[in-house]
Amino acid sequence: MHQESFCLLKSEAYLFKKAGFIESKIRASGLNIVDQWSVKLSFLDTFAMYPGWVPRLTMSLRFSPLFKLDMFLLEGDDAIRRMYQLKHQIRQEIWGREFKKGGFLHAPDSVEEDREHKAILYRRKIYTDTIATKDV
């Protein structure tokens, strides 16, 4: 089933210079990057994206309004599931096997989360680069 999904880079992707590595992993996976957005999220956006107080507080630091973040819009067969799995593989490659927690990137785990988070991110878009033709 052909789907759209996304990958949002968190602030540590820039701080640890892993943004290029993450993009190369997405491209190598066979998912097609069709757009790249730059977004700036508010604290309220972070609270809307993450349930629970602990995730909200930690994500507020990672998605701080001080940071401009990149988001890749993706297309491909079963794109949501594939990007969600790739997210965990990328994290393990960066952190190593001993560290299982999140970091560096966010990708939705369901069609519903994809829809909800994209709606929030769309409102915070500050720049778009349509790059589908660059993948050819």
Side-chain angles (χ1 to χ4, degrees):
M1 166 177 49
H2 191 78
Q3 287 180 323
E4 294 180 357
S5 189
F6 71 88
C7 174
L8 177 67
L9 302 184
K10 296 179 182 177
S11 58
E12 59 263 34
Y14 307 100
L15 295 172
F16 291 95
K17 299 183 182 347
K18 297 297 182 181
F21 172 78
I22 293 167
E23 182 179 353
S24 70
K25 287 294 190 177
I26 293 170
R27 289 185 186 283
S29 76
L31 290 168
N32 191 24
I33 299 174
V34 295
D35 278 337
Q36 181 176 342
W37 295 354
S38 291
V39 297
K40 277 196 176 186
L41 298 175
S42 71
F43 288 115
L44 292 177
D45 296 329
T46 304
F47 277 45
M49 289 176 70
Y50 290 92
W53 284 99
V54 172
R56 286 176 172 176
L57 293 175
T58 59
M59 288 302 110
S60 293
L61 298 174
R62 289 177 168 161
F63 294 158
S64 166
L66 301 174
F67 294 107
K68 180 184 81 176
L69 305 170
D70 290 321
M71 182 177 114
F72 299 111
L73 276 80
L74 314 166
E75 288 183 347
D77 291 334
D78 204 14
I80 293 171
R81 182 190 60 78
R82 286 174 56 204
M83 186 60 229
Y84 184 73
Q85 289 177 337
L86 182 60
K87 168 180 76 172
H88 294 291
Q89 292 170 6
I90 291 170
R91 287 175 176 167
Q92 282 190 341
E93 284 188 48
I94 293 171
W95 285 122
R97 299 262 182 229
E98 68 280 354
F99 191 80
K100 303 289 185 203
K101 293 294 179 188
F104 296 96
L105 65 153
H106 169 70
D109 63 2
S110 66
V111 171
E112 182 65 21
E113 186 175 275
D114 181 80
R115 184 189 60 75
E116 290 172 1
H117 289 196
K118 258 195 248 175
I120 293 166
L121 295 162
Y122 183 80
R123 289 192 309 266
R124 298 300 180 214
K125 181 170 57 165
I126 56 176
Y127 177 76
T128 302
D129 184 13
T130 303
I131 56 180
T133 57
K134 294 181 185 175
D135 290 343
V136 178

